[in-house]
Amino acid sequence: MNIRYDLMPESSRRKLPDTKEPLPFGQLRTNHMFLMNYKDGAWTDPRIVPYGEIPLMPGAMCLHYGQTIFEGAKAFIHDDGEIFLFRYDKNCDRLNHSARNLCMPEIPTDIQMEATLRLVDVERDWCPKMPESSLYIRPFMFASQDSLGVKPANEYIYCVMLSPAGPYYPGGFSKAIRLLITSRYHRAVSGGTGTSKCGGNYASSLQAQEYAHEHGCAQVLYLDATNQTLEEVGTMNHYHVEKDGTFVIPTFNDSVLKSITSQSVLELAGMSGLPVSIKARQETIRLDNFLNGVKSGDIIEAGGFGTAAVISPVGSYLLEDGSEITVGTGDIGDYSRAFYDYYSNMQIGRKPAPEGWLRKVERY
């Protein structure tokens, strides 16, 4: 791919803030972004340009009919000073899955990969070194055609932007959160776009999130449309841990987004020769069985898996009748902590990762 570089002069570039305080999540921007346009059936004009506004007509179809998808990934600096993307091929695949679901054009994985590798190379000084930090990668695509007809657009813009970031939740991996279990809201239903990372799914989750905050909870644990089985935690996959240390994740279906962290847990559980023993499986989890398991002590830990936070342990669940159920001791459990430590150390190169999980950012 012939990428055009239109870079800011060195003297005009901002730098990563010099601070010992944790970086905010999702608020900082690097100096440049990657852009590419789709028209007449082809992706054209790949370029790295200064971060800034993207011209868009008022009739752009993304603004009216929601053809917009995105991904979230991370790059990490290792002790040798080199930067690595973590499982970015999985993000490329999932972006294309979302594109197919929303009738948008796919982008070959090698093009997505090269675009991000080259952008991160330009911005490598923005990769933070402090604990629980990363260079967060946000690729996204949206319909840019100026038309008011309800149909798939024929023009799109693909962009990759970067954000040096600290932990998703303030305080990082230091405190268990509380979740609200409610039948009032549902994230997605069978036959919809639940397996896609599309803007509409996240817009519809905001009301539930605010409802959870009003009740002193970090997020909602969504149930299926019949309110019988567990599905997701806000923007994460749910998990719980049994007495023998097995991680149990709700079965992926057409209303659950496949978290790359969850997929990694399941893949690691099938590998031998790891420095830690990981056990994991998927199953359909009935709400009543889950609550009874927590109450009886058969379920000793619980939480959410996701790229932004990796693991968010759950200390308790608030029910709609106002009662609260504590998981284990209410603190971060030993199995969740051990997995978080191992997974995080894989990302920064201090523990061995399976072949192909890390992609070095070359110096182009």
Side-chain angles (χ1 to χ4, degrees), residues 80-99:
D80 61 1
E82 297 298 331
I83 298 173
F84 291 79
L85 309 186
F86 186 76
R87 307 217 73 182
Y88 195 66
D89 57 324
K90 303 286 282 186
N91 294 97
C92 298
D93 292 342
R94 195 168 62 180
L95 184 89
N96 281 334
H97 170 82
S98 298

Side-chain angles (χ1 to χ4, degrees), residues 222-280:
Y222 289 104
L223 308 175
D224 74 322
T226 68
N227 297 317
Q228 299 296 312
T229 61
L230 307 190
E231 291 213 329
E232 290 199 54
V233 181
T235 57
M236 300 179 290
N237 285 171
H238 189 263
Y239 76 87
H240 68 255
V241 182
E242 298 177 332
K243 282 182 176 180
D244 68 348
T246 299
F247 287 84
V248 184
I249 301 168
T251 302
F252 295 142
N253 56 39
D254 64 355
S255 58
V256 172
L257 181 74
K258 291 184 178 180
S259 161
I260 292 169
T261 308
S262 288
Q263 294 178 65
S264 298
V265 174
L266 295 166
E267 291 175 41
L268 288 168
M271 296 180 184
S272 59
L274 297 177
V276 295
S277 176
I278 297 172
K279 292 183 288 186

Side-chain angles (χ1 to χ4, degrees), residues 7-15 31-32 122-123 125-126:
L7 306 184
M8 299 172 62
E10 289 282 353
S11 59
S12 301
R13 298 185 192 183
R14 294 170 291 105
K15 296 184 178 181
N31 290 302
H32 300 91
V122 168
E123 305 285 54
D125 289 344
W126 283 83

